Structure formats: structure tokens, C-alpha cells
Amino acid sequence: MQFELTDDLIKQVENFIEVNDNKGLQKLLKDFHYADIAEILDELNLEEAMYVIKLLDSETTSDILMELDEDNREKVLKNLSSKEIAEEIEELDTDDAADIISELSEERQQEVISHIEDEEHKAEIKELLAYDEDSAGGLMAKELVKVYETWTVAGCLRRIRAQAKEVTRVHSIYVVNKQNKLIGRLSLKDLIVAKSEQKIADIYITSVDSVNVHDGAEDVARVMAKYDLEAIPVVDDNQILLGRITIDDIVDVMKEEAEKDYQLAAGITSDVEADDSIFEHTKARLPWLLIGMLGGIGAASIIEKFTGSMGDFIVLLSFVPLIQATAGNVGVQSSAIVVQGLANDSIDGSIIKRLFKELLLGLVNGLAIAIIAIIISHFLFDTPYNVSITIGIALIAVIVMAALIGTFVPIFLDKRGIDPAVATGPFITTSNDVFGILIYFLIAKLILGF
Amino acid sequence: MQFELTDDLIKQVENFIEVNDNKGLQKLLKDFHYADIAEILDELNLEEAMYVIKLLDSETTSDILMELDEDNREKVLKNLSSKEIAEEIEELDTDDAADIISELSEERQQEVISHIEDEEHKAEIKELLAYDEDSAGGLMAKELVKVYETWTVAGCLRRIRAQAKEVTRVHSIYVVNKQNKLIGRLSLKDLIVAKSEQKIADIYITSVDSVNVHDGAEDVARVMAKYDLEAIPVVDDNQILLGRITIDDIVDVMKEEAEKDYQLAAGITSDVEADDSIFEHTKARLPWLLIGMLGGIGAASIIEKFTGSMGDFIVLLSFVPLIQATAGNVGVQSSAIVVQGLANDSIDGSIIKRLFKELLLGLVNGLAIAIIAIIISHFLFDTPYNVSITIGIALIAVIVMAALIGTFVPIFLDKRGIDPAVATGPFITTSNDVFGILIYFLIAKLILGF
């Protein structure tokens, strides 16, 4: 039942291509879902992929295009003429069509659009291209089923039969007034259950969620997830119905968002996947490593400053990794909680209140860690009593500081309109490394008096 | 249009409760979505929340219950009698009903079930409770619209009108044969567009995705996201139709999964939110901090071992934070890429191939970092030439090692059936800290000969 991408299958496809057995290839691929064919094409080289694309009809290939890895799609599009792309575009819903076109160069966009024959489709795609990619407008499709409040159920069903042919999946039927303002909704089920002579005005549901065309993609995702919606209508500032967004697009937004946050937390910029090239990986990872290195250099200069006067207390240096690891871990924990809270809109109360809570939490965790560290360092390492106590006190201070920085920075960035997720991972670890080590030596100097 | 949870609104609700103004409260809440009311209740104290729940009808409160924070729901359920819970359960779809019941104690479950009056509902809920929570069976609902291939379109519409009343949203209509085996599907749209005297057997679509009742929740999510499905039928080993899973439940699975991975990467065990108590937070964070501390102690003992013989090369100690930070960052990056690749099923090829790629990547990144570090340490810190070179070489070795450990451990865990996400964050950082520092001093000893 389930599709599995095996080496055998890929070999089979490659063999058909090699001997130009079009019939065999078509027969093999006929029963596969386009998303499965896309997975196969992602494993082929460009020449082979183009062979398959030229072979299949544009109804299938347009869907396949949408499912290809972005890198591969770019290559395939480069190998298609503007006219060929326009043919694929004709088969796609307006939202997918606009997505594909927006990946082309400015010049190519114009060419492709000029080749689209369906004037209505063309106008709608042009409209969609004007919206920001990460807004409701950038996500919505123009395809939807819309009825006027003045229609009867029977008339409605008749007209829906016509409209619905263009719409892949009918979720809700949107009810508008004469000015095309969204005033309510109906489900197909409601329509089927209703009597045919009833007026839409009498049966439609007036409470209808909608989003503004300029709302951000993440906000749309939040609304749809919260209210368990499968589609949501998009309106302009005057409540005029412009389009609709379906849950499958939102699932993609959520996945991308989650992956981006995860990668940021792990110190990886830009979207990079396991199978990307070493160059892509270096580009994504090296910047954060450099930031970490700067922190390391900063820490080195702090240590150098203190080592000279340290004398007998040189054993303090052995505990630098402990201080650093603790500062880093606490910072990442605190910032992750805040970043997630901000994403879920579940952080309320003032910054002060939140910082106070982290302060308390830091004291509790710090005390626990400090006591254990004092015992271990004193008994296992024969560290003098005063040095052990110093390490313990420094640990508490460092944990509290790391928790506060980890909490404050993402909240601060969020207030400034910067994605707080950049403040997790190496960013927090690095700053906490440096501050942590500085605090450690300052406290040691104060207590031990070197 | 959009609901906003304001302090004013909460105050308003609290005031109505205080003066027992039930009419006013009902009027205020009447137009709110149940998910919004749940958000309000999450902000009230238990007594107030119970007041609202007792006030509203069970059709609304059952939906509200599903949307409450888990902690709050637990408290509310404790304050309801078994009979009251059973009344809420009667209003819920079978999947939600089973979810609520499974949160109760064994003994309470029996009591609540015995109070359910609708025998069919009771039997279905009992069936669902038998499945693993994280399986397709644990996610599915028994409510679905099913037609036999022998029916006509007209007869079908008539019967669907009856069935559909129980089903909140009709996604697909599932077509079964006499043995109740799933053989195809139909959309409501297809049915409306078809002629009323046609047989279902002539118009249904034979290609229908389905999942096995024992498939894991994450696999179901992957299939639904890949094929852009809004609902998927669930079958047993004999292809008998058992239930269906809708995308809103999958959205929740995806969100939870993403949050769990994110928290694991940040060193937070168990699901904890910004607003949970300090005790909950300590429970979730302290374990990882302790692991980090053990690493720090390990590193301390390594440093102690080497310091005695180090003599003039004591400056090496200043660069311990640099080594440690780099090892940690590289390890987290590598493991995050692997964990994400495994989650997306996009890691192919052998472990050896992947390790080789990370080796190369480590060499590239290592060389870049090493050269910069050598220059900085030599010119800024007046470190002797041989010491600077030592640091550079150690950095390359440490980066390669960290990349290999970061790649190997999650793959290894995955093969063993353990969630690879536990291998990110503090786990990787800690082991890399210790190994990194060990390698650093071993290389230094070898080159500088102390």
C-alpha cells in the first residue's frame, strides 16, 4: 500500500530512460502519486529528470514540480522554456502557480506570464505575485466556492457544480453580499441537508473566521491550528473576499517554521539539509562557529588577565569548563522556553515578572548544582575549602546570570521585531561563556583575594 | 474580528462570577469560540473555571475541555463527578472522548464509561482506548461517512444526510465492499456533480491512501503532509475500515513533535511551558544541568592531570574555553542536521558515507577556524609560534571529532529504536566538551613535549 523509494525502483526508472522505453516508463509511473514521482526525480540526475518530465503530461508534471526539492526545481525550471513553464502554470491552482513564478528571475517572470493563455488565471496570478511571500496574500489561492446570500439552495447547488470543477477540494462555501463582502459560510454538508427551496440567507452560518490579506503566515497558522480549521477565507481591509488558504499550505508553513527554529537553536543559518553540498553546509555553519570562536578568544583574554596574579589558586582554571558548560546549558534552556512561549503566544505578564521567575529558578537550580560541585571538588580533587566554596558561589551567580540573559535577550529581540529564535544556540552560549568566566574570576578574586 | 485575550476581558469575567451574574456571563461568552473560552478559563483560578463550566451547556463545555491546558483540564476533571464527565463525553467525537478518558485513573475510567448512555458510543470509545496513544488507532475517530459500492448516488445522498449529522466535518466519503473492506473514496463534490441514478461502483475513485491502525502517529503525519491529505482512513490488517484521522489532530501531533525535539535540543526534558511552576521547570531542566556538570568535573580532572607537567605552557589553559565552545557548537550542528534528516526521512546512503562527508566538512570548517585562531592567538596574545600552531591543529582535530560524534550518536540511537533527538543539546555538548579537552591536551603534549 505504502510507497517506498528503493534503489531497485530508481534503477528500474534509469534503465527505462537509458533504452528510451517510454511505454514501459509510463506504465511504471502511471499508478504513482505525483509526490512519489517527485521523490524519484529528486534521486535522478538532471538529464534523466528532464526526460521523465518531458514524457509525462503537464497535468501530472505541474504537480510534480511543486513537490520537487527546491534546488532541483530550480534546475528543472532553468531547462524549460518560458512557454513550457506557462503550460505547467495553466494546470496549477493560482497559489502554486504564483509560488513557481516567484522563484524565477524578474525577466523570466514576465515572459512566462505573457505565455499564459487563460486571461483570468493570468490576472489572478499577477494579483497574488504582488503580496509578500510570508503573508496571507502570499499563501492564498483565488480558487474558492462563493455564493450570494440571495440565492436558493437549489440554485446554489447548480452554480456550485460549475464553480467546484475548478476547485480541487471544497472545504467551506463562502457566503457574500452584493458588494462581495464576506458575511458567512456554509458547509457542503449543510447544503445537502437543507431543503432545495430554502434561501441561503436563511441557512448560512454568520460566524466565519477570516484573516486579513496582510496578516503574517505564522499568525494564519496560529489561527487555523487554534480553531481546527481546514480552510480560512482571506479578506481585505473592507472585508471583501479575496481568496482562501487551505490547511495543507499551513502544514508546510508550520514544518518550515519548526525546522528553521530548530536549526537556529543548533547554530545553523539558512535552510540546509543533510544531503546538501559541503559548500552549502559550510555557508550555513561557519558563521556561528566564528561567533563561538570570538567568544572563546574573549574568554582566553579574560583568563590571561587573571592567571598572572592567581598564584596558588591556579586550580581555579581546572573548573573553567564546568563554569562554561553550566552557563551555556542554562542560557539555552531559558531562551528556548521563551522562544517557544513567544511562538505559542503563551507568554503573558511583564518582562520583570518573567525575569524574577527565572531569577528564582536560577537560585534553585544553582543551589543544587553548587552543593554537588562543592562536595565533588573538595573530596575528589582535594581542592581547599575556600576554593570549593568559591566555585559553588560562582556557579550560583553564573546560573542566575545565564538564566537572566537567556530570558531577556529573546524577549528584547521580539519587542524589536526581530525573530527571537536567532537568540538561541551559539548566540546565547557564546555570550554566556564570556560573561560566565568573567563573573567566575571576579568572584574568585573577591573571595580569595589574589 | 480576531479574538484577543486581554486583562480587561478576564477582569470582566471575574466580576460576573463574583456577583453571580449568570445572565451577563452567558451573554458575554455566547459569541466566543470554545477555544477562546478555554483560553479565558486557563487564566482563571479553579473555582472560577468550575463556575463557568457548570454554567455553560455540555455541548460547549465538552469542546472547551479539549482545548484547556492539560494541567488545568486535569484539575477540572478532578472536580467533576464521573456522571458529569460522562455527560461531557457524550457530546464529544469518539477520538476526543477517548483522549479525555485516557487521562483519568483506571478506576475512574470504568466509572465514567459505565455512565455513558449511548451504547454505540460507549463501545466505540472502549475500542479506541485499547490502542496505543501514539498509533493511528489512538488518533482515529470512529465517526465517518461510509457508503457501499452497490448504492446509487441518490440513495447515497439520502443515507449520507443521516450519517453526516453525526460527523462534524465530511472530508471524504469512504467506499467499502460487503465485507467492509475499504475499496475507494468519493468526495462530496463528486457526489454532487454526479447524476442521481448512477451507481457508486461506477463513479468512485479506486486509489485511496490509508494507514494501518498500528502505524505510528509520526508516520501518519508524514503520509498526510506528503500527500496533502485532510483526512485519512484507518484500516486493520485485512483492509477493513476502522476509522479516520483528520488533519487537525495531525497538526497537533506535528506541533508537539516539533516542540519536543526543540526542547530536547535545548536540554529540557518533559513538556514544560513558560508558565509552569518553578518545580516543574526544575524537574525538566536540572537533569541536563547535572549531566553538563559531570562533564565539567570530567574536564576538570583532565586539566588537573596535565597542568602539573605543563610548566611554561600554562597559556594553553587560556584557550580551553575556545576548544570547548567549538567542540560544543560543531557537535550540536552535526547532530541537529542528522536528527532533522531522520525526521524527514531524507537521510539516505550508508553511515560510512555520511561520516565521511562530515569528516570532509569538519576539515573545511576546522581549517578556516584554525587559521583565524592561529593568527589571533599569535598576534593578539603574543603566544609563541609553536603554541599557536598547536592550538590550530587541536582545533581541527576537535572539530572533526565533534562532527563525527554528533553524526554517529543520533544515527546509532535511531538504529536502536531510541529517539535520536535526545542526542542533541547537552548530551552532545557534554561528551564533546570532555573529549575535546582531552584531545587538545594530548595533541599539545605530543607537539610541545611537556
Side-chain angles (χ1 to χ4, degrees):
Chain A
M1 191 72 230
Q2 218 85 293
F3 170 80
E4 213 182 322
L5 186 68
T6 60
D7 286 345
D8 268 2
L9 178 61
I10 293 164
K11 190 126 279 164
Q12 222 179 328
V13 172
E14 287 178 328
N15 284 340
F16 279 129
I17 296 174
E18 206 176 355
V19 300
N20 289 319
D21 183 353
N22 292 350
K23 283 251 171 67
L25 190 53
Q26 274 166 328
K27 208 177 143 206
L28 174 70
L29 297 178
K30 198 171 67 74
D31 289 329
F32 287 145
H33 189 279
Y34 55 79
D36 297 328
I37 302 180
E39 275 190 7
I40 297 173
L41 294 197
D42 277 332
E43 297 300 314
L44 301 179
N45 66 39
L46 181 60
E47 210 179 314
E48 293 166 338
M50 290 309 300
Y51 187 96
V52 177
I53 286 173
K54 302 256 178 187
L55 180 69
L56 302 175
D57 58 80
S58 63
E59 202 179 323
T60 314
T61 52
S62 58
D63 287 330
I64 293 174
L65 265 187
M66 288 306 300
E67 299 290 331
L68 283 181
D69 254 9
E70 217 177 306
D71 307 350
N72 291 329
R73 180 165 58 236
E74 199 188 316
K75 286 182 209 148
V76 168
L77 289 175
K78 273 211 180 112
N79 269 275
L80 291 173
S81 71
S82 298
K83 193 149 182 302
E84 284 169 322
I85 297 178
E87 279 164 20
E88 306 281 356
I89 296 290
E90 303 261 13
E91 298 289 343
L92 290 170
D93 278 354
T94 45
D95 55 342
D96 292 339
D99 286 347
I100 293 257
I101 293 183
S102 67
E103 287 176 19
L104 304 171
S105 69
E106 198 78 21
E107 192 190 344
R108 245 181 127 232
Q109 292 192 6
Q110 298 309 324
E111 276 177 40
V112 170
I113 291 173
S114 72
H115 282 296
I116 299 174
E117 284 169 14
D118 182 335
E119 288 299 326
E120 195 190 337
H121 203 50
K122 189 194 285 193
E124 287 176 344
I125 291 171
K126 273 176 150 173
E127 179 195 335
L128 291 184
L129 282 171
Y131 297 112
D132 184 87
E133 203 191 338
D134 292 322
S135 72
L139 285 171
M140 73 179 183
K142 298 296 290 179
E143 288 83 0
L144 51 79
V145 178
K146 163 174 101 171
V147 300
Y148 288 90
E149 54 173 337
T150 49
W151 291 358
T152 62
V153 168
C156 210
L157 276 170
R158 212 168 41 239
R159 272 137 161 157
I160 283 176
R161 288 201 181 100
Q163 287 185 42
K165 276 184 191 147
E166 283 179 24
V167 183
T168 324
R169 267 177 288 201
V170 179
H171 295 84
S172 270
I173 299 157
Y174 301 118
V175 182
V176 293
N177 65 12
K178 268 192 205 145
Q179 290 80 44
N180 264 309
K181 277 193 191 175
L182 176 72
I183 55 170
R185 70 188 158 87
L186 264 179
S187 69
L188 263 187
K189 196 187 93 183
D190 299 326
L191 211 54
I192 292 177
V193 176
K195 297 204 175 59
S196 59
E197 65 276 11
Q198 280 185 293
K199 275 260 163 67
I200 296 300
D202 299 328
I203 62 164
Y204 81 83
I205 301 151
T206 52
S207 81
V208 52
D209 293 295
S210 64
V211 288
N212 185 284
V213 70
H214 298 298
D215 284 347
E218 283 179 56
D219 289 327
V220 178
R222 192 147 49 206
V223 170
M224 291 187 75
K226 179 176 165 189
Y227 298 123
D228 287 347
L229 302 175
E230 276 143 19
I232 197 164
V234 181
V235 297
D236 68 8
D237 295 336
N238 298 316
Q239 197 67 11
I240 304 288
L241 180 62
L242 294 179
R244 64 145 189 191
I245 297 172
T246 51
I247 187 72
D248 53 317
D249 294 321
I250 291 302
V251 166
D252 294 340
V253 168
M254 286 174 56
K255 271 181 80 167
E256 277 168 31
E257 195 51 38
E259 288 185 5
K260 203 189 71 191
D261 283 0
Y262 188 78
Q263 296 202 328
L264 279 174
I268 302 166
T269 51
S270 81
D271 187 28
V272 63
E273 273 167 52
D275 290 328
D276 284 344
S277 71
I278 289 195
F279 175 71
E280 293 282 340
H281 272 273
T282 305
K283 223 172 63 184
R285 301 194 199 179
L286 196 54
W288 286 115
L289 294 184
L290 288 175
I291 289 178
M293 195 194 69
L294 289 183
I297 298 286
S301 69
I302 293 172
I303 296 177
E304 265 235 315
K305 280 258 148 49
F306 283 95
T307 325
S309 58
M310 217 176 263
D312 280 353
F313 298 116
I314 200 82
V315 62
L316 285 171
L317 288 181
S318 302
F319 292 93
V320 165
L322 172 61
I323 298 288
Q324 185 181 353
T326 309
N329 286 341
V330 170
V332 170
Q333 288 180 337
S334 303
S335 61
I337 290 284
V338 172
V339 167
Q340 218 158 44
L342 288 170
N344 289 336
D345 235 356
S346 70
I347 290 212
D348 25 57
S350 63
I351 293 197
I352 303 293
K353 218 174 108 190
R354 179 138 298 280
L355 287 176
F356 184 72
K357 185 170 174 183
E358 281 292 330
L359 179 80
L360 276 181
L361 187 57
L363 283 175
V364 172
N365 280 335
L367 213 64
I369 294 281
I371 289 171
I372 302 172
I374 289 175
I375 294 171
I376 293 182
S377 73
H378 186 64
F379 289 98
L380 248 71
F381 288 83
D382 273 339
T383 323
Y385 226 13
N386 52 354
V387 176
S388 291
I389 298 283
T390 303
I391 293 168
I393 291 175
L395 272 172
I396 297 178
V398 164
I399 287 175
V400 168
M401 170 226 59
L404 294 183
I405 292 183
T407 305
F408 178 75
V409 175
I411 293 183
F412 175 79
L413 290 182
D414 189 58
K415 293 228 183 241
R416 291 263 161 154
I418 301 169
D419 182 356
V422 302
T424 48
F427 183 93
I428 282 293
T429 343
T430 302
S431 51
N432 281 352
D433 281 0
V434 178
F435 282 118
I437 289 168
L438 182 62
I439 288 178
Y440 174 49
F441 285 116
L442 284 177
I443 288 179
K445 201 178 166 84
L446 208 75
I447 296 181
L448 303 172
F450 53 82
Chain B
M1 191 72 229
Q2 219 84 294
F3 170 80
E4 213 183 322
L5 186 69
T6 60
D7 287 345
D8 267 1
L9 178 61
I10 293 164
K11 189 127 280 164
Q12 222 179 328
V13 171
E14 287 178 328
N15 283 340
F16 278 129
I17 296 172
E18 206 176 358
V19 300
N20 290 319
D21 183 354
N22 292 350
K23 283 253 171 66
L25 191 52
Q26 274 166 328
K27 207 177 143 205
L28 174 70
L29 297 178
K30 197 172 68 73
D31 288 329
F32 286 144
H33 190 279
Y34 55 79
D36 296 327
I37 302 181
E39 274 191 7
I40 297 173
L41 294 198
D42 277 332
E43 296 299 315
L44 302 178
N45 65 40
L46 181 61
E47 210 179 315
E48 293 167 338
M50 291 308 301
Y51 187 96
V52 177
I53 286 173
K54 301 257 178 188
L55 180 68
L56 302 176
D57 59 80
S58 61
E59 201 179 324
T60 314
T61 52
S62 58
D63 287 329
I64 293 174
L65 265 186
M66 288 306 300
E67 299 291 331
L68 283 180
D69 255 7
E70 218 177 307
D71 307 349
N72 292 329
R73 180 165 57 238
E74 198 189 317
K75 285 182 210 148
V76 168
L77 289 175
K78 271 210 182 115
N79 268 275
L80 290 174
S81 71
S82 299
K83 191 147 183 305
E84 285 169 322
I85 297 178
E87 279 164 18
E88 305 283 357
I89 295 290
E90 302 261 13
E91 299 289 342
L92 289 171
D93 278 354
T94 46
D95 55 341
D96 292 339
D99 286 347
I100 293 257
I101 293 183
S102 67
E103 288 177 19
L104 304 171
S105 69
E106 197 79 21
E107 191 189 345
R108 237 154 157 234
Q109 292 192 7
Q110 297 310 324
E111 276 177 39
V112 169
I113 291 172
S114 73
H115 282 296
I116 299 175
E117 283 169 15
D118 182 336
E119 288 301 327
E120 195 190 338
H121 202 50
K122 188 194 285 193
E124 288 177 344
I125 291 171
K126 273 177 152 172
E127 179 195 335
L128 292 183
L129 283 171
Y131 296 112
D132 185 85
E133 204 191 337
D134 292 322
S135 72
L139 285 171
M140 72 180 183
K142 298 295 290 178
E143 288 83 0
L144 51 79
V145 178
K146 164 174 101 172
V147 299
Y148 289 89
E149 54 173 338
T150 48
W151 291 358
T152 62
V153 168
C156 210
L157 276 171
R158 213 168 41 239
R159 272 137 163 158
I160 284 177
R161 288 200 180 101
Q163 287 186 41
K165 276 184 190 144
E166 282 178 24
V167 183
T168 324
R169 269 176 287 200
V170 178
H171 295 84
S172 270
I173 298 158
Y174 301 119
V175 182
V176 294
N177 65 12
K178 268 192 203 142
Q179 290 80 43
N180 264 310
K181 277 193 193 174
L182 177 71
I183 56 171
R185 70 187 158 89
L186 264 179
S187 70
L188 264 187
K189 197 188 92 184
D190 298 327
L191 212 54
I192 291 177
V193 176
K195 296 203 176 61
S196 60
E197 65 277 10
Q198 280 184 293
K199 274 260 163 66
I200 297 299
D202 298 329
I203 61 165
Y204 80 83
I205 302 152
T206 53
S207 83
V208 52
D209 292 296
S210 64
V211 288
N212 185 285
V213 70
H214 299 299
D215 284 348
E218 283 179 56
D219 290 327
V220 178
R222 192 145 50 205
V223 170
M224 291 188 76
K226 180 176 166 189
Y227 298 124
D228 287 348
L229 302 175
E230 277 144 18
I232 197 164
V234 181
V235 296
D236 69 7
D237 295 336
N238 298 317
Q239 197 67 11
I240 304 289
L241 180 62
L242 294 180
R244 64 144 190 192
I245 297 172
T246 50
I247 187 73
D248 53 316
D249 294 321
I250 291 302
V251 165
D252 294 340
V253 168
M254 287 174 55
K255 272 181 80 168
E256 277 168 31
E257 194 52 37
E259 288 186 5
K260 203 189 71 192
D261 283 359
Y262 188 77
Q263 295 202 328
L264 280 174
I268 301 166
T269 51
S270 81
D271 186 29
V272 63
E273 274 166 53
D275 290 328
D276 284 344
S277 70
I278 289 194
F279 175 71
E280 293 283 341
H281 273 272
T282 304
K283 223 172 63 183
R285 302 193 197 179
L286 197 53
W288 286 114
L289 293 184
L290 287 174
I291 289 177
M293 194 193 71
L294 289 182
I297 298 287
S301 68
I302 294 171
I303 296 176
E304 265 236 315
K305 281 259 148 47
F306 284 95
T307 325
S309 59
M310 216 176 265
D312 280 351
F313 298 116
I314 201 82
V315 63
L316 285 171
L317 288 180
S318 301
F319 291 94
V320 164
L322 172 61
I323 297 288
Q324 186 180 354
T326 310
N329 286 341
V330 170
V332 170
Q333 288 180 338
S334 303
S335 61
I337 291 284
V338 172
V339 167
Q340 219 158 43
L342 289 169
N344 289 336
D345 236 355
S346 70
I347 289 211
D348 25 58
S350 63
I351 293 197
I352 303 292
K353 218 174 108 191
R354 179 139 296 282
L355 287 176
F356 184 71
K357 186 171 174 183
E358 281 292 331
L359 179 80
L360 276 181
L361 187 58
L363 284 175
V364 172
N365 280 336
L367 213 64
I369 294 281
I371 290 171
I372 301 173
I374 289 174
I375 293 171
I376 293 183
S377 74
H378 186 65
F379 289 98
L380 249 70
F381 288 83
D382 273 340
T383 323
Y385 226 14
N386 51 355
V387 175
S388 291
I389 297 282
T390 303
I391 293 168
I393 292 175
L395 272 172
I396 297 178
V398 164
I399 287 176
V400 168
M401 170 225 59
L404 293 182
I405 292 183
T407 305
F408 178 76
V409 174
I411 293 184
F412 175 79
L413 290 182
D414 188 59
K415 293 228 183 242
R416 290 263 161 156
I418 302 169
D419 182 357
V422 302
T424 48
F427 183 93
I428 282 292
T429 344
T430 302
S431 50
N432 281 352
D433 281 0
V434 178
F435 281 118
I437 289 169
L438 182 62
I439 288 177
Y440 174 50
F441 285 116
L442 284 176
I443 288 179
K445 201 176 165 85
L446 207 74
I447 296 180
L448 302 173
F450 51 82

